[in-house]
Amino acid sequence: MPVNLDLPRPAPSRLKRLFGRWWRQQSPARQDRLATLAPLLSVLMFLSAITAAFWYLRNEEIDRATDAVRRDTEVAQQQMRLHLIENQEQLVRIARELVTRDINAGEFLDQAATFQRERPEVRQLTWVNAARKVRASQTVISFQQEVSNDGTTPDPSLPSDGKRTESEFTFLAARDTRQPVYSRPFTDADGTPVFQIQVPLIDRGNFAGTLIVEYSIEALVRFFVPTEVSRRHAMQVLGPDEQVLASTVTVMPGQPVAKPSLLHDLPLAPMSNGLVLRGQGYRTSIGLIGNTLFWMVVALSVLTVWMLLGTWRHMRRRTQIQNALVQETNFRRAMENSMLTGMRAMDMEGKVTYVNPAFCAMTGYSEVDLVGGRPPFPYWPPDRIDENTRLLQQELQGRSPAGGIEVKVMRKDGSVFDARMYVSPLIDPKGLQTGWMTSMTNITEAKRIRDQLSASHERFTTVLEGLDAAVSVLSVQQGELLFANRSYRLWFGVDARGHTQLANTSAALAFVPEPDEDVDGLSGLPTQELTEAGAQPREVYVESLQMWFDVRSRYLQWTDGRLAQMLIATDITARRRVEEQVQQQAEKAQVTSRLITMGEMASSVAHELNQPLTAINNYCNGMVSRVRNESINTEDLIAALQKTARQAERAGQIIHRIRAFVKKSEPQRQPAQAFEIVDDAVELAGIELRRRKVAIHTYVAQRLPTLMVDPILIEQVLMNLLKNAAEAIDSAQLPPSRRNIELRVVPRHTPDQGGTIEFSVTDMGPGMKEEVLARLYEAFFSTKAEGLGIGLSLCRSIIESHRGRMKAENLYNGSIVTGCRFAFTLPVDLTQRADLHNVPDVPDAAAAANPNATSS
Ligand code: ADP
């Protein structure tokens, strides 16, 4: 849940507001970067500020030190200058006295001694005349004086004409300028660096020599640099060539001279003589301390920057983790929001701490209504509070069943639905249980579907159980009976034997894969094709039950995907019985029909039989009278007896044929020749034809194939057709020229039957009217007064039972009917499978067998 960051804050200033707006405009990544870079920047700024401060302080320090050096140098210079000037004034006074008071050498020396006593810097006080001759000289006692003054080397402290010594230059300058003149520094006979002042002696306007005073530079420095100055700074006096002539600091011989960092130079003498006073200062410890501090600050800053970078890296890692966490949280939230399962979390006391949107949507309550709530919860139906309290207790104690519990939940609008709840413990990151998480699914729809399913299953089983047919399902691979209905159990029990018994005799094994087929046994069995393949119904006789079944089998995929065979076996025993009866009756009808035919032909037959009998009688009477007269010899008698026997044989043959024709026998197929059938039929029919004076012409094609038929039945058909033709001709009382019948037997090939033999009977009679043609094969349809009308119907049944076809047509000459033609075909390749017992035209056959019909 987003955290509310809008805490009350003091009214921000305008600048703050502007900054705040700018800050909010930045992207979070930029904000992060800025938040990281800002401390880094401030550390760098701090470092530069510190550096600047140190630099400033150092400069300040140097300035102060320089200033001190300058001031001390100035003080020292001032001291020396003042002293020199004071000395100069004194010397000028002495010089004047020397001239004016005409002082001799002794007095001068006294004065000089006094002068020198108070002034330790003065090394020598000499009076020389204009010719450079020493009048008197007061010198500081020197141990080296005697050594150097051997008379050969001139004293550098005295002017000597023509010599280029400092003393001489000064002497000349003093003489010329008539002013006291300071010499440039030089080394006196002792090797001590010195300089001179020569005060000219002017006697009444004439140059009378000089008063030479020689200063020891070293003493000057020693006595006139104040102690507090020399304690602070070193003071040096330098010559014109920058060589050190005297210093307040004595350097240990052999030690390197520390180079001073601060210098201040000032001219020393009152008049310029090239001497320079140099004050020296050294950088004090402030630099070192400053440096240490500075480097400490730098080190601390670097450390801070390093730690900042470390923190930054750490923060970046944290941000990455946080991002991953946010992503995960978002993912989980999206998942939670998108799923249809309601989720509810409770603490250990049963207080609701969380609900997801699906839970709210299910119950109709908002998150605010539910979170923080304690039992009884608002979605508990009022009449189930006790039960729900008990369930909640169970839940809080962790005793909820793993398979979930079914509860009723009431929506805010008061409607109730069924739900299933699953409970699981809620574990915090430390591994401690903090509560319970409950998921809830609405199972109303599932329950409805389940109820519907069970109802439909019940209906299905009721229908199946109520069926008269036995329904069984057998798994193909395991041979296990998967289903059997009540009828099956009743007839075959609960094992698979009944199924296999029914299936074995049916098309059960019709699906044995052919070797060249691309099928690898059962594993690769194309079950789809199998299940789609419908099976032809089979009629199976079960010996043990003495029952006939119509068995239909079908392959199907069982509910678990296994290939299974379903059989539906319908009890057809009753139908089979009826069929058998009908068959028997049809046979009877055929025989009856033949009897009727013979009955109708009875007079003709009697007439036919009468002829041989009459002949036999005549032969016998003739023989008796001739034997009595004894007018017959043996040979004639034998001949007459043979004739008699032939006539008797002829009569016997007629009777035999009639007997064979009407004999009650089972229909039996056998190999038969067409011409034999034709001969027999023509023989019998000939009796009737002759009586009706109708001629018959027979044509049977040569080398006809053998037929597989019942010859008596085919003969019966031919008889019927010939008799009908003769009757039609006779009843029309046609002239002898039209009293002809033609019987033709020829081979014929038809597209639907293949090779056949066609029998046709053509007469030249009156033909058939349209209505007669339409009802020709109807049983009991006859146009004749004494006709029964079963002949043609029986004929067609017989032909069709031999898988033949029968047709009748009128013959025309233009529009005039010239006769009619009845023809039937018999297939020559009749297979063994053809069932002669099976007479399809049951109603006709049954009707033909009707005893009432035959008796009338
Ligand atoms: P029935 O001979 O007892 O009448 P059928 O079934 O043999 O019974 O014949 C039915 C009818 O068909 C006959 O009544 C007759 O009208 C007609 N019929 C059969 N054969 C011929 C034929 N060759 N010429 C004209 N009519 C015929």
Side-chain angles (χ1 to χ4, degrees):
M1 236 167 287
V3 180
N4 189 6
L5 289 170
D6 296 334
L7 297 169
R9 277 176 290 191
S13 70
R14 191 178 148 68
L15 197 70
K16 240 173 155 180
R17 262 206 321 274
L18 277 173
F19 176 76
R21 196 182 307 155
W22 171 82
W23 179 254
R24 277 191 297 278
Q25 276 168 4
Q26 307 306 312
S27 68
R30 204 178 155 82
Q31 283 180 355
D32 277 2
R33 253 202 317 279
L34 286 173
T36 320
L37 284 178
L40 205 70
L41 213 69
S42 57
V43 166
L44 288 176
M45 273 161 67
F46 167 75
L47 192 66
S48 32
I50 286 284
T51 313
F54 269 103
W55 179 77
Y56 173 77
L57 277 176
R58 190 172 160 276
N59 278 2
E60 193 83 330
E61 191 62 43
I62 290 170
D63 279 359
R64 216 175 26 248
T66 315
D67 223 37
V69 169
R70 183 174 53 80
R71 254 184 289 112
D72 279 357
T73 315
E74 275 171 4
V75 166
Q77 183 221 26
Q78 207 67 19
Q79 285 280 330
M80 285 192 257
R81 272 177 75 106
L82 279 174
H83 207 75
L84 287 174
I85 288 165
E86 198 186 330
N87 285 358
Q88 187 184 330
E89 280 167 5
Q90 194 69 28
L91 288 171
V92 169
R93 202 170 40 80
I94 292 172
R96 207 176 309 124
E97 276 180 10
L98 279 178
V99 178
T100 51
R101 283 174 49 203
D102 203 9
I103 288 171
N104 60 23
E107 285 170 336
F108 170 76
L109 285 174
D110 285 348
Q111 269 192 11
T114 315
F115 184 84
Q116 200 180 22
R117 205 176 308 128
E118 291 163 6
R119 291 168 181 85
E121 74 277 13
V122 177
R123 278 185 66 88
Q124 199 180 17
L125 204 69
T126 309
W127 179 14
V128 289
N129 62 9
R132 299 173 182 89
K133 180 131 171 72
V134 177
R135 293 279 304 274
S137 179
Q138 171 71 28
T139 312
V140 175
I141 293 116
S142 168
F143 301 104
Q144 291 145 3
Q145 194 175 13
E146 300 306 319
V147 180
S148 59
N149 204 3
D150 55 356
T152 52
T153 32
D155 187 355
S157 304
L158 296 177
S160 108
D161 195 12
K163 289 277 173 22
R164 296 180 62 81
T165 61
E166 291 299 327
S167 185
E168 175 62 20
F169 289 145
T170 317
F171 178 81
L172 291 176
R175 189 186 68 187
D176 295 346
T177 57
R178 304 210 170 177
Q179 290 287 329
V181 175
Y182 284 90
S183 77
R184 285 153 58 92
F186 63 93
T187 319
D188 71 354
D190 297 342
T192 312
V194 292
F195 69 91
Q196 290 179 341
I197 177 170
Q198 295 194 19
V199 182
L201 303 173
I202 309 297
D203 187 12
R204 286 175 291 275
N206 294 321
F207 178 72
T210 59
L211 183 62
I212 302 171
V213 176
E214 201 171 87
Y215 287 108
S216 158
I217 296 172
E218 196 258 313
L220 204 65
V221 169
R222 191 163 67 245
F223 294 112
F224 294 101
V225 174
T227 330
E228 66 272 18
V229 168
S230 62
R231 207 179 294 143
R232 282 198 296 264
H233 297 112
M235 289 293 156
Q236 286 182 334
V237 175
L238 309 179
D241 307 328
E242 292 265 308
Q243 79 275 26
V244 179
L245 302 176
S247 173
T248 54
V249 179
T250 316
V251 181
M252 277 287 278
Q255 287 275 310
V257 185
K259 205 168 154 58
S261 52
L262 304 169
L263 296 174
H264 192 74
D265 290 354
L266 285 173
L268 180 67
M271 248 66 83
S272 163
N273 66 339
L275 280 177
V276 170
L277 178 66
R278 172 171 284 179
Q280 288 182 339
Y282 290 90
R283 196 84 47 82
T284 44
S285 58
I286 177 84
L288 180 69
I289 294 168
N291 277 352
T292 315
L293 270 176
F294 175 73
W295 288 117
M296 268 170 69
V297 168
V298 167
L300 280 175
S301 299
V302 168
L303 191 72
T304 312
V305 167
W306 180 68
M307 278 169 68
L308 269 175
L309 285 174
T311 312
W312 183 54
R313 265 205 300 275
H314 181 69
M315 258 175 65
R316 218 168 51 177
R317 261 207 305 279
R318 288 299 295 247
T319 313
Q320 277 166 2
I321 293 169
Q322 191 182 330
N323 284 345
L325 214 65
V326 167
Q327 220 170 356
E328 175 75 18
T329 312
N330 287 347
F331 172 73
R332 279 180 185 275
R333 186 166 303 138
M335 203 167 73
E336 242 171 58
N337 293 350
S338 68
M339 70 181 179
L340 296 171
T341 308
M343 305 287 283
R344 180 198 67 187
M346 286 188 311
D347 64 10
M348 298 302 279
E349 275 76 48
K351 192 177 87 176
V352 175
T353 55
Y354 165 79
V355 283
N356 77 338
F359 192 92
C360 296
M362 271 178 171
T363 54
Y365 288 97
S366 70
E367 197 180 323
V368 181
D369 297 336
L370 296 171
V371 171
R374 289 175 183 283
F377 298 122
Y379 50 83
W380 284 3
D383 55 329
R384 285 176 181 259
I385 287 183
D386 288 346
E387 187 195 335
N388 280 340
T389 311
R390 188 178 54 75
L391 286 172
L392 185 77
Q393 282 310 317
Q394 204 179 16
E395 196 176 323
L396 291 176
Q397 287 160 12
R399 290 189 288 110
S400 291
I405 37 173
E406 250 184 68
V407 289
K408 291 246 182 241
V409 177
M410 189 176 75
R411 294 195 188 91
K412 199 173 184 177
D413 60 11
S415 58
V416 175
F417 66 89
D418 292 294
R420 182 168 279 276
M421 284 185 155
Y422 297 90
V423 183
S424 54
L426 206 61
I427 308 292
D428 74 354
K430 290 176 195 150
L432 295 172
Q433 188 183 348
T434 56
W436 298 95
M437 175 63 86
T438 311
S439 66
M440 181 171 86
T441 31
N442 186 342
I443 55 161
T444 314
E445 182 67 5
K447 213 175 161 189
R448 193 180 60 78
I449 291 170
R450 199 174 60 198
D451 291 350
Q452 272 183 357
L453 267 177
S454 71
S456 90
H457 179 255
E458 211 168 299
R459 280 199 298 276
F460 165 75
T461 40
T462 310
V463 169
L464 276 183
E465 291 291 299
L467 270 182
D468 284 338
V471 179
S472 59
V473 180
L474 189 85
S475 84
V476 171
Q477 275 160 293
Q478 287 85 13
E480 171 195 345
L481 192 65
L482 300 171
F483 176 81
N485 74 342
R486 190 185 55 82
S487 300
Y488 180 91
R489 295 195 300 272
L490 196 72
W491 290 327
F492 302 104
V494 288
D495 56 18
R497 256 177 310 178
H499 185 105
T500 37
Q501 203 177 351
L502 291 172
N504 278 345
T505 41
S506 75
L509 298 173
F511 289 106
V512 176
E514 288 177 21
D516 59 334
E517 254 181 333
D518 196 16
V519 177
D520 55 342
L522 274 175
S523 55
L525 205 66
T527 54
Q528 188 65 20
E529 283 165 32
L530 267 183
T531 48
E532 278 170 7
Q536 290 290 322
R538 299 279 153 152
E539 293 187 356
V540 177
Y541 183 67
V542 179
E543 191 73 50
S544 54
L545 296 170
Q546 297 208 327
M547 282 168 87
W548 278 94
F549 290 99
D550 171 286
V551 181
R552 284 154 204 266
S553 74
R554 194 181 170 81
Y555 285 87
L556 45 85
Q557 222 153 5
W558 193 238
T559 47
D560 56 4
R562 275 188 285 174
L563 181 67
Q565 186 195 39
M566 178 174 76
L567 287 188
I568 302 172
T570 317
D571 177 13
I572 52 160
T573 315
R575 199 192 82 194
R576 283 299 288 225
R577 297 235 166 89
V578 169
E579 275 174 19
E580 274 164 22
Q581 278 175 4
V582 166
Q583 178 63 35
Q584 284 165 5
Q585 281 168 357
E587 277 165 26
K588 277 183 197 158
Q590 284 160 12
V591 176
T592 312
S593 158
R594 291 203 291 273
L595 282 174
I596 291 166
T597 308
M598 279 299 120
E600 284 167 351
M601 286 169 67
S603 61
S604 310
V605 170
H607 177 72
E608 187 78 10
L609 280 177
N610 207 29
Q611 281 181 355
L613 290 177
T614 312
I616 290 167
N617 195 26
N618 288 344
Y619 283 133
C620 287
N621 286 342
M623 278 189 289
V624 167
S625 57
R626 282 177 74 178
V627 168
R628 276 198 191 129
N629 296 339
E630 291 177 356
S631 61
I632 192 162
N633 55 20
T634 312
E635 266 153 41
D636 286 347
L637 187 63
I638 288 171
L641 279 175
Q642 278 173 337
K643 278 181 182 168
T644 309
R646 258 206 307 279
Q647 288 301 322
E649 197 180 340
R650 193 168 121 72
Q653 254 175 2
I654 291 169
I655 289 169
H656 173 77
R657 279 190 201 283
I658 289 169
R659 253 193 77 218
F661 185 66
V662 298
K663 191 178 82 183
K664 185 178 178 293
S665 67
E666 295 284 305
Q668 235 173 9
R669 284 212 196 158
Q670 58 196 67
Q673 299 301 327
F675 71 89
E676 284 175 358
I677 299 171
V678 170
D679 276 358
D680 282 355
V682 169
E683 186 82 23
L684 274 182
I687 301 168
E688 180 74 3
L689 294 181
R690 276 193 293 279
R691 190 174 69 88
R692 293 189 186 274
K693 298 187 176 60
V694 174
I696 179 163
H697 308 281
T698 308
Y699 170 74
V700 179
Q702 297 285 312
R703 291 194 300 278
L704 285 172
T706 307
L707 287 167
M708 195 68 192
V709 292
D710 185 327
I712 296 293
L713 291 179
I714 305 302
E715 204 179 304
Q716 183 180 351
V717 173
L718 280 175
M719 281 273 294
N720 222 316
L721 296 180
L722 291 171
K723 190 168 76 68
N724 274 350
E727 278 173 358
I729 290 169
D730 202 23
S731 62
Q733 296 181 339
L734 293 174
S737 60
R738 286 187 66 183
R739 295 179 92 88
N740 292 315
I741 297 174
E742 190 187 25
L743 169 61
R744 281 175 73 83
V745 183
V746 288
R748 189 170 292 280
H749 191 273
T750 62
D752 57 332
Q753 282 182 293
T756 61
I757 293 175
E758 187 194 60
F759 296 76
S760 62
V761 175
T762 313
D763 65 63
M764 299 170 89
M768 292 164 287
K769 295 205 177 76
E770 277 302 311
E771 64 267 23
V772 177
L773 260 174
R775 306 180 60 191
L776 207 55
Y777 301 109
E778 254 178 47
F780 311 118
F781 172 77
S782 176
T783 56
K784 300 164 194 166
E786 69 284 9
L788 275 176
I790 56 165
L792 286 177
S793 124
L794 207 60
C795 285
R796 194 172 74 165
S797 293
I798 292 168
I799 294 305
E800 285 180 355
S801 78
H802 283 82
R803 306 206 182 277
R805 299 277 182 279
M806 184 159 178
K807 63 174 183 182
E809 61 192 350
N810 279 333
L811 298 175
Y812 293 92
N813 184 4
S815 60
I816 301 153
V817 179
T818 57
C820 68
R821 179 173 180 267
F822 283 83
F824 64 87
T825 53
L826 288 175
V828 286
D829 56 346
L830 276 177
T831 58
Q832 297 296 327
R833 283 172 63 211
D835 188 358
L836 201 58
H837 293 264
N838 220 351
V839 181
D841 209 352
V842 176
D844 287 359
N850 193 325
N852 294 333
T854 42
S855 65
S856 61

